[in-house]
Amino acid sequence: MQTIQPQDRSRLDELKHLRDIFNAQNSKELKIAFGALHSCLEISEEDLEVQFNRYFVGPMEPIADPFASIYIDDPDVVMSKSTLHVRELYETMGFTNPLKNIIPDDHLGVELDAYYQLLYLEEAKGITYLSDLRHYFLHEHLSLWVPRFIARALEHSEHDSKAMTFILLQLKSLLIRETTTQGVTA
Amino acid sequence: MSYSKENVESIVNNGLSRRSFLKGLAASGVLSSFPGGILQANEDLNTKIPYLGEKSYKTFRNACPRNCYDTCSIKTYVKDGVMQFIEGATESTYTRGGCCVKGNSYVKRVYSARRLKFPMMQVGGKGSGNWKRISWDQAMDIIAKKLLEMKKEDGTLLGAALTKYSGNFGITHYGIEGMFNSIGYTTRLAGTPCWPAGIDAQNLDMGDMWCNDPEEMKDSKFIILWGVNPASNSIHSMKYIYEAKKKGAKVVVIDPVFTEAASKASQYIQIKAGTDGLLALGMAKIIIDANLHDQKWLDANSKGYKEYKAYLDKEIKLDNVSKITGIPLAMIKELALSFAKAKPATIWMGYGMQRHTNGGSMIRAIDAFVAVSGNIGKYAGGARYGHLNTWGFNYAALSMPKPEGSVGYTGPEGAKGDVAQGKDAKSNYTDRFLNINKTARELINAKEPKVRLLWVACKNVFAQDFDRNQLIRAFQQLDLVVVADQFFNETAKWADIVLPVATQFEEYDVNVSYWHYWLTLNEQAIKPLFEVKSDLEIAAMLSKRMNQLQAGSCTFPQSVDTKAMMVKEFNPGIYEQFGIKSWEELKNGPVKAKAVIPYADGKFKTPSGKFEFYSDKALELFGSALPTYLEVRKPYDKFRMTSPHSRWSLHSQFQNLEWMEDVHPEPYVYINPDDAEAKMVKEGDTVAVFNKQGLLRVKAKLTDNVQAGTVLMYEQWYNNNIYNVNELIDDTSSDMGAFKTGAPGVALHDTFVNFRKL
Amino acid sequence: MQKAFLVDGSICLGCNTCAMACKNQYHQDKGILWRKVREIGAEEYHIDNNNILPTLVSYQKAPTAEMPMERFYFSLACNHCENPACVAICPVGAHTKDPETGICKHDQTICIGCGGCVKACPFGASKFNEKMGQAEKCSMCWERQADGKTTACVQSCPVGAIAIIDLHDPKYKEYANASPIGIDYAINAETKPTTRFIHPSMPKEVYRLPKG
């Protein structure tokens, strides 16, 4: 089994922290994941969450809903065609989603989790079996909507919220890095 | 392996190769090595094989629980836990396989990204837009502590108010009232904004509100649709009206508006709004004078006919009737006489007509006309308004005992709401009732104790209630506003805590109609999305927390299963009425109550046991024993505004969905071309419609569907439009409603406005 | 056999249940309606936003009858023409005419999105889905019909204003011969549309309050 390289660790860690930001269920979880991204921004737990909710959660219409279906299928609907496509992909990847039919499968946090787990297998365990699927997921799915999601949110955040801008830019650079990095060679 | 789009897609699309692919994964040990996260390794290698056709879906029984005559029986098609589409249940002869335009949008309603997803708290104050996620436990903790603190400080829980109405008419939703019953004596926004004046009128006349089966209308020989527009608001009833018409019955629509139903009738008669009662009195006089009244029935079954006839003789002058209603006398005579000659003949009265300051008196006058014509208690006859005759459930979740030692209100008490509320016969205390139709001012004015906590359920207060400016003030002065809803509407905007509520597809329930006679099971078809919970589960969680903080402070069960609660609603009476042995039979489809013709046995639940032209109760409560002519509210501005229900929405539900925008994108004000010309308004112009209450900007459509002097705007809530017709409506009461529903109705069709081109 | 929609405008409520039932079944994207309920006499009569063409040329003979606003309608999806332009123009065979039923089917998995059918159809039945880059249209729920059900629109109509008839069946010859009945929407259309329409009329007796 391969030993993990330091640069790989940070690639994985960054992905993990972004995943945790979008999966956070309260201010504390959000703040911890946000802090782990090494932001030098000073922001209170509450302010961070209030801003995050206004952008991505609700209860009023968020600036950018974090679901693929919003960008691929239908601007106001979850659990549609593309969601079910992602569900199929997870099953092909061999994942079970305990939140199936509760959180739509194409929620950004869930998708980042899937991508993280696939990358983890390659990077940390040296298992390259799923590399094709990971690339497919990245190029044929994540790349279809996440850039549009980022652009929609950034348009607001750049003159409104430093913290959200930071998160979005981190996500953006991660996506660029992943799409331009060749897969590890087995 | 190298990345190839085609390779992967063939794996995804092909069950067999996916299976071998996954087997390979299992063999390599990959599946056991995943790090922590949401997704877990899937070790049972199930592959779904795509299959088209009915059998590839799992189906469930559902019901549309909205405030609608039709209460459709639904069959829901689910695949892999996701709702795919719905159909009307074919087992119901009423729904007959179809829903309406709204029902057919349910898939997009359930999966709307705009739904409330998590319990949240507004941390920057009401209306600030600063929201924080809280867990259900935290939400319940905040609410429970507030309730207990209020009880300690005030000595009662009368500072806690509940406003709940018709957002979901499922029987188990009366558990929301049950939740409030179970914490002690509280404050309730009582009454109904919908149909109370008519309910009182029918109860005064007949001791009940009970209408014939609408499916009988196919055999009626003469049908008057009086101020009702089923072509828009009860579309499944239209087939019976068409059938009657096809068989030669005359269908007459009497309405100030040339409605969709009017366009499909044999005859349309336009009337001046608020004069319908006088027309009915005139018609009664005509048939009595022509000796076409049913003297035999009247002798056997009515009280006070003599006094009524004397009133008609003395006070009702036919020339005046014609002048005031605007209808030529010959036409009135022809209408009255041909109705009286046709047997059976029936009148269906809409809920719009009683939303006038003289609304109850008008329903009474029409009831009396139908009685005089001998059509009460007859198959395919009747004075139809609505009924709750199939609503004999246990209301198990509603009937909660008060916690020991509860202290309440000692003011006067009465039956409140559509369904009788749990009442503690042994206690001297009652809940405190505020008039739901004056919500804003009542919340502000309530004293000793003042209202500090408001719970909003099944209701969009800001879209449906009146006097909106005052409402903001009322909400702002409350300590804690809890809004339990499915969407972020304007009421949620002014909440402290929002709680996401399940749709009917995410819970069990049982539904009946206030119009037809079908009973429908509502099964849970899908898992609740995100963190939504049913109203019953919310009540149970609150009870659990309250009891943890103070044992015995809440009597509601501390954990519930919506299916078990639904089962508790059934009783032998229901089984007998619907001819079933167990609720489980409803899994095979909806069932209809055994046929019964209201009042055919001549038994009325009035004090005299007869149809009461002369009602002592009416004299006591409303100052007139007889159905008499009462003048409608005087205009206070240039044009009358009428705001009927739209076919695209049910109150503030449905029009906000994007599918609905595809068939009906925006609101309009409908103006008579003559009025428009005088105001230089052209089709499509944006106009300001305004009065002492507020101002709305909306596009104009010109049509003589509305009479000169009247503008029409539908009551709707759009997702991306601030349009809200209730901004123009004050909270003036209608004449009746307090008798049976606890508060008078609201005279919202007696609204007056002016308009100008922008 | 030539299956055809028979639309009874005299009882149609304009409630749009049929159009929404179609969306409910097929989840058409926002802005796309395979079946559309058109208001007789309204200006929108000519316009279909889902279509490349700004106006539908064959509607130029729209009924001139004075009809009150928002009261009389006709519900229209694909006309399943006897001589369909979409089938003729499709370069890849995505449009086919079922020889047994006469239904004009569209198979989106074959469609290359050339837009030929959208331009060729005189009635705007083929819609162009810009997001998918493909055409789409009503295929008379042939899968539902094969499964023993009727179409979503027919099943959902509360008053039975839409029916499916066989134009070649002598039973319906009154409809077959008059092409099409009642409404001028497709006089002499070369594609021979099969939808038949029963024209509505105002109630015999209409009383409106006098002016002033």
Side-chain angles (χ1 to χ4, degrees):
Chain A
M1 203 164 275
Q2 248 173 297
T3 46
I4 196 157
Q5 300 300 312
Q7 70 270 27
D8 296 332
R9 169 62 77 194
S10 88
R11 182 182 173 194
L12 275 171
D13 282 351
E14 211 178 300
L15 188 50
K16 181 166 169 282
H17 301 324
L18 279 165
R19 174 195 76 178
D20 292 345
I21 284 176
F22 284 96
N23 286 334
Q25 295 191 33
N26 53 51
S27 323
K28 205 173 159 195
E29 286 176 18
L30 182 64
K31 188 69 201 279
I32 290 169
F34 183 78
L37 274 181
H38 302 298
S39 163
C40 44
L41 219 77
E42 284 297 321
I43 184 165
S44 76
E45 245 178 52
E46 185 168 297
D47 287 351
L48 180 67
E49 203 210 337
V50 162
Q51 290 179 21
F52 187 83
N53 290 345
R54 194 150 45 81
Y55 273 76
F56 310 119
V57 179
M60 62 275 233
E61 183 167 346
I63 287 159
D65 284 291
F67 304 100
S69 59
I70 301 288
Y71 304 86
I72 299 175
D73 288 341
D74 201 321
D76 277 324
V77 166
V78 298
M79 219 61 118
S80 58
K81 294 169 218 166
S82 61
T83 317
L84 299 182
H85 176 63
V86 173
R87 173 179 296 185
E88 292 245 297
L89 275 177
Y90 291 162
E91 282 173 13
T92 306
M93 291 165 189
F95 293 135
T96 314
N97 183 358
L99 295 176
K100 183 172 156 182
N101 291 327
I102 295 171
I103 304 285
D105 310 69
D106 60 350
H107 179 267
L108 183 58
V110 183
E111 293 200 351
L112 289 176
D113 186 38
Y115 192 80
Y116 170 73
Q117 308 237 23
L118 293 171
L119 193 65
Y120 176 86
L121 288 173
E122 284 176 47
E123 302 288 303
K125 299 281 180 183
I127 298 166
T128 54
Y129 202 94
L130 290 164
S131 147
D132 270 9
L133 270 175
R134 177 173 68 79
H135 278 96
Y136 178 84
F137 188 49
L138 177 66
H139 293 289
E140 306 295 337
H141 179 72
L142 285 168
S143 301
L144 288 189
W145 75 275
V146 181
R148 286 154 73 188
F149 160 79
I150 294 171
R152 188 185 290 183
L154 267 182
E155 199 186 318
H156 278 81
S157 72
E158 276 169 340
H159 49 86
D160 174 66
S161 163
K162 285 194 178 119
M164 293 311 113
T165 305
F166 176 75
I167 293 171
L168 290 160
L169 290 177
Q170 290 286 308
L171 184 64
K172 190 175 177 177
S173 68
L174 178 121
L175 202 68
I176 291 168
R177 197 186 60 217
E178 289 302 314
T179 45
T180 52
T181 305
Q182 295 303 307
V184 286
T185 44
Chain B
M1 263 158 57
S2 60
Y3 163 61
S4 146
K5 187 181 174 189
E6 286 71 28
N7 273 349
V8 176
E9 280 186 340
S10 84
I11 292 168
V12 171
N13 293 327
N14 183 321
L16 193 69
S17 66
R18 175 151 34 130
R19 181 164 273 276
S20 51
F21 184 83
L22 288 166
K23 269 188 180 149
L25 286 183
S28 70
V30 169
L31 295 180
S32 54
S33 57
F34 286 93
I38 292 171
L39 300 168
Q40 292 155 10
N42 174 4
E43 298 198 50
D44 64 341
L45 303 174
N46 278 330
T47 48
K48 282 177 300 166
I49 297 160
Y51 178 74
L52 294 169
E54 172 112 18
K55 291 191 190 78
S56 62
Y57 303 99
K58 223 175 154 187
T59 59
F60 295 88
R61 296 291 172 181
N62 288 101
C64 184
R66 312 272 87 97
N67 184 350
C68 174
Y69 287 101
D70 287 14
T71 309
C72 290
S73 302
I74 294 174
K75 194 169 175 185
T76 304
Y77 290 75
V78 174
K79 196 171 176 207
D80 196 21
V82 181
M83 258 176 88
Q84 298 294 320
F85 63 97
I86 65 156
E87 284 180 357
T90 48
E91 293 82 0
S92 162
T93 51
Y94 185 80
T95 302
R96 212 179 63 182
C99 299
C100 73
V101 64
K102 304 176 282 293
N104 276 311
S105 69
Y106 263 129
V107 176
K108 294 288 156 170
R109 182 183 160 94
V110 169
Y111 294 125
S112 170
R114 307 280 75 85
R115 273 187 74 183
L116 292 175
K117 303 177 182 77
F118 311 104
M120 295 186 89
M121 186 162 75
Q122 192 157 216
V123 288
K126 295 182 191 79
S128 69
N130 292 339
W131 293 87
K132 197 172 130 59
R133 264 179 80 173
I134 49 176
S135 66
W136 276 105
D137 285 346
Q138 285 170 310
M140 293 305 125
D141 186 63
I142 294 165
I143 300 164
K145 281 185 176 146
K146 181 74 201 170
L147 286 168
L148 294 173
E149 170 202 308
M150 282 162 51
K151 188 154 100 174
K152 200 171 164 199
E153 288 173 10
D154 296 341
T156 78
L157 266 174
L158 293 170
L162 171 66
T163 186
K164 179 232 170 189
Y165 196 52
S166 68
N168 187 326
F169 264 154
I171 302 299
T172 70
H173 282 78
Y174 288 96
I176 298 164
E177 284 92 334
M179 170 178 77
F180 261 62
N181 284 340
S182 70
I183 59 175
Y185 295 97
T186 57
T187 294
R188 310 297 175 87
L189 278 302
T192 125
C194 183
W195 54 345
I199 292 181
D200 275 14
Q202 289 228 311
N203 271 284
L204 294 170
D205 296 335
M206 295 176 269
D208 199 356
M209 171 185 67
W210 188 13
C211 63
N212 294 49
D213 179 359
E215 300 180 38
E216 287 173 4
M217 278 192 294
K218 68 180 177 7
D219 293 321
S220 301
K221 296 284 190 316
F222 201 110
I223 300 173
I224 297 179
L225 301 175
W226 203 321
V228 70
N229 182 15
S232 210
N233 303 110
S234 179
I235 57 172
H236 295 91
S237 292
M238 283 305 286
K239 57 180 172 286
Y240 307 111
I241 294 164
Y242 281 153
E243 197 179 332
K245 197 176 159 206
K246 212 170 168 180
K247 290 195 288 189
K250 187 163 189 181
V251 178
V252 179
V253 169
I254 303 173
D255 204 303
V257 179
F258 180 73
T259 59
E260 286 86 347
S263 74
K264 303 293 178 288
S266 327
Q267 183 181 18
Y268 167 63
I269 298 175
Q270 194 164 56
I271 186 170
K272 284 185 195 156
T275 67
D276 307 75
L278 183 62
L279 176 62
L281 293 167
M283 285 164 68
K285 184 181 166 84
I286 289 164
I287 64 173
I288 293 166
D289 289 350
N291 206 25
L292 283 171
H293 59 295
D294 191 337
Q295 190 67 53
K296 208 174 126 199
W297 186 89
L298 291 166
D299 288 345
N301 298 297
S302 73
K303 177 195 163 203
Y305 172 68
K306 224 169 74 186
E307 290 88 340
Y308 168 68
K309 186 178 178 303
Y311 169 78
L312 296 180
D313 289 342
K314 187 160 169 262
E315 304 291 338
I316 301 300
K317 305 274 177 284
L318 292 179
D319 286 343
N320 256 344
V321 172
S322 171
K323 205 175 111 197
I324 293 170
T325 60
I327 304 168
L329 186 54
M331 192 178 289
I332 298 173
K333 281 185 173 162
E334 162 66 21
L335 175 68
L337 296 175
S338 50
F339 184 92
K341 285 174 194 161
K343 294 239 157 45
T346 188
I347 295 182
W348 179 357
M349 294 166 275
Y351 305 133
M353 192 176 6
Q354 43 96 53
R355 293 179 188 137
H356 287 283
T357 53
N358 59 353
S361 77
M362 298 205 283
I363 301 291
R364 283 203 75 198
I366 296 172
D367 283 350
F369 169 70
V370 180
V372 166
S373 76
N375 281 297
I376 301 262
K378 304 283 160 58
Y379 174 82
R384 297 158 192 264
Y385 184 71
H387 81 107
L388 296 173
N389 203 252
T390 51
W391 292 61
F393 294 93
N394 292 337
Y395 300 92
L398 166 80
S399 319
M400 295 293 162
K402 304 287 180 198
E404 219 161 285
S406 291
V407 177
Y409 193 58
T410 48
E413 186 200 11
K416 311 294 165 184
D418 302 320
V419 170
Q421 309 279 299
K423 187 184 148 192
D424 189 350
K426 282 172 284 184
S427 172
N428 297 320
Y429 298 118
T430 72
D431 293 323
R432 173 171 64 178
F433 298 103
L434 305 179
N435 181 349
I436 200 168
N437 294 322
K438 298 184 191 291
T439 294
R441 77 171 72 188
E442 296 261 288
L443 284 176
I444 291 168
N445 293 342
K447 298 269 153 46
E448 290 171 38
K450 62 181 191 145
V451 176
R452 293 202 272 167
L453 178 146
L454 178 68
W455 189 295
V456 184
C458 299
K459 192 174 197 315
N460 183 352
V461 178
F462 276 80
Q464 299 310 131
D465 286 336
F466 316 102
D467 207 353
R468 224 182 129 274
N469 301 327
Q470 293 266 43
L471 263 182
I472 296 177
R473 231 186 90 206
F475 269 53
Q476 275 172 333
Q477 72 170 42
L478 295 162
D479 294 356
L480 187 64
V481 175
V482 181
V483 173
D485 210 317
Q486 293 170 353
F487 286 87
F488 187 80
N489 51 36
E490 210 195 341
T491 309
K493 185 177 151 188
W494 296 103
D496 294 294
I497 289 178
V498 294
L499 303 176
V501 171
T503 63
Q504 79 264 31
F505 300 98
E506 297 160 314
E507 64 182 6
Y508 272 88
D509 209 342
V510 58
N511 294 74
V512 283
S513 158
Y514 52 72
W515 179 240
H516 63 67
Y517 279 78
W518 288 85
L519 166 68
T520 306
L521 171 68
N522 182 78
E523 296 178 292
Q524 184 180 338
I526 57 168
K527 279 185 190 163
L529 282 167
F530 299 99
E531 293 183 6
V532 306
K533 296 212 181 281
S534 75
D535 282 310
L536 282 177
E537 290 169 312
I538 295 170
M541 283 189 299
L542 180 64
S543 179
K544 189 173 173 191
R545 187 64 191 137
M546 286 187 73
N547 279 294
Q548 281 168 353
L549 292 168
Q550 194 189 101
S553 60
C554 180
T555 63
F556 204 88
Q558 295 180 39
S559 79
V560 300
D561 166 50
T562 59
K563 187 176 176 181
M565 290 301 261
M566 181 274 296
V567 173
K568 279 191 189 170
E569 295 299 351
F570 289 89
N571 55 44
I574 289 282
Y575 288 147
E576 163 67 21
Q577 185 177 20
F578 287 92
I580 52 173
K581 290 198 175 66
S582 152
W583 68 271
E584 306 219 24
E585 287 179 42
L586 296 171
K587 288 180 182 173
N588 302 325
V591 295
K592 191 177 172 181
K594 289 175 186 165
V596 58
I597 296 158
Y599 315 119
D601 56 3
K603 287 184 184 137
F604 294 85
K605 288 184 207 146
T606 49
S608 65
K610 293 175 185 291
F611 182 97
E612 296 197 352
F613 291 98
Y614 188 99
S615 162
D616 295 311
K617 194 81 196 170
L619 181 63
E620 173 200 329
L621 293 172
F622 307 114
S624 170
L626 294 168
T628 50
Y629 173 53
L630 195 66
E631 263 185 64
V632 73
R633 187 182 189 183
K634 292 265 181 281
Y636 56 83
D637 214 325
K638 202 102 195 290
F639 298 90
R640 177 182 291 279
M641 184 189 83
T642 178
S643 54
H645 293 176
S646 148
R647 49 173 51 178
W648 318 109
S649 54
L650 225 148
H651 300 306
S652 64
Q653 304 182 96
F654 293 107
Q655 177 65 71
N656 59 318
L657 303 176
E658 62 160 34
W659 271 6
M660 204 58 82
E661 289 171 8
D662 280 346
V663 293
H664 187 259
E666 58 180 336
Y668 298 100
V669 55
Y670 297 85
I671 304 172
N672 186 284
D674 292 343
D675 294 338
E677 197 186 344
K679 294 269 185 183
M680 315 260 278
V681 169
K682 290 195 187 61
E683 178 87 15
D685 283 350
T686 301
V687 297
V689 184
F690 54 92
N691 64 7
K692 63 187 172 84
Q693 291 293 123
L695 180 147
L696 280 184
R697 289 177 188 83
V698 60
K699 259 192 213 167
K701 279 199 180 192
L702 310 188
T703 170
D704 65 356
N705 290 340
V706 293
Q707 54 185 263
T710 297
V711 299
L712 182 150
M713 282 191 276
Y714 289 110
E715 168 232 32
Q716 289 162 326
W717 173 59
Y718 291 78
N719 194 32
N720 296 311
N721 192 325
I722 57 161
Y723 172 87
N724 178 355
V725 74
N726 285 338
E727 293 212 21
L728 298 173
I729 296 173
D730 67 10
D731 59 1
T732 294
S733 295
S734 56
D735 53 347
M736 294 183 192
F739 171 35
K740 281 288 169 184
T741 71
V746 71
L748 53 92
H749 288 324
D750 288 332
T751 295
F752 296 87
V753 297
N754 203 342
F755 66 90
R756 67 180 140 79
K757 191 182 160 173
L758 280 177
Chain C
M1 192 199 280
Q2 175 60 57
K3 288 199 175 188
F5 290 115
L6 173 63
V7 180
D8 188 347
S10 71
I11 57 172
C12 172
L13 307 171
C15 67
N16 270 276
T17 299
C18 51
M20 196 63 93
C22 183
K23 291 203 90 151
N24 162 56
Q25 183 71 66
Y26 299 106
H27 293 212
Q28 292 132 36
D29 283 329
K30 181 165 169 61
I32 295 185
L33 294 164
W34 293 354
R35 176 169 284 285
K36 191 162 176 173
V37 179
R38 292 165 192 278
E39 186 191 331
I40 294 178
E43 281 175 41
E44 295 95 287
Y45 190 77
H46 296 280
I47 300 164
D48 190 330
N49 293 329
N50 311 133
N51 205 282
I52 288 172
L53 303 171
T55 56
L56 305 178
V57 285
S58 286
Y59 289 128
Q60 56 193 312
K61 283 195 155 193
T64 47
E66 281 288 310
M67 288 288 196
M69 176 184 284
E70 295 184 5
R71 294 297 178 263
F72 296 101
Y73 301 86
F74 72 105
S75 171
L76 196 63
C78 171
N79 281 303
H80 300 282
C81 300
E82 300 228 39
N83 187 20
C86 53
V87 174
I89 204 165
C90 183
V92 292
H95 286 280
T96 51
K97 185 158 180 72
D98 189 311
E100 199 188 316
T101 59
I103 295 174
C104 296
K105 297 179 184 171
H106 181 244
D107 184 349
Q108 211 167 17
T109 62
I110 298 173
C111 177
I112 54 168
C114 70
C117 56
V118 182
K119 292 196 187 90
C121 176
F123 313 105
S126 273
K127 312 290 179 191
F128 196 75
N129 185 324
E130 287 183 8
K131 214 166 54 192
M132 311 248 315
Q134 285 179 314
E136 56 182 271
K137 75 168 193 67
C138 156
S139 296
M140 212 188 253
C141 289
W142 66 270
E143 299 96 334
R144 279 178 63 103
Q145 293 203 50
D147 206 33
K149 294 169 96 106
T150 185
T151 63
C153 51
V154 169
Q155 175 162 344
S156 71
C157 180
V159 293
I162 313 175
I164 292 168
I165 59 168
D166 175 10
L167 276 190
H168 294 171
D169 185 337
K171 204 163 67 177
Y172 299 109
K173 68 172 186 290
E174 54 166 321
Y175 297 120
N177 297 339
S179 172
I181 280 192
I183 191 162
D184 293 343
Y185 80 92
I187 294 282
N188 300 330
E190 284 170 13
T191 61
K192 296 175 110 182
T194 67
T195 307
R196 294 296 179 264
F197 186 69
I198 298 169
H199 208 282
S201 57
M202 282 286 277
K204 282 198 192 78
E205 302 166 82
V206 172
Y207 171 74
R208 286 199 170 89
L209 295 172
K211 286 184 185 182

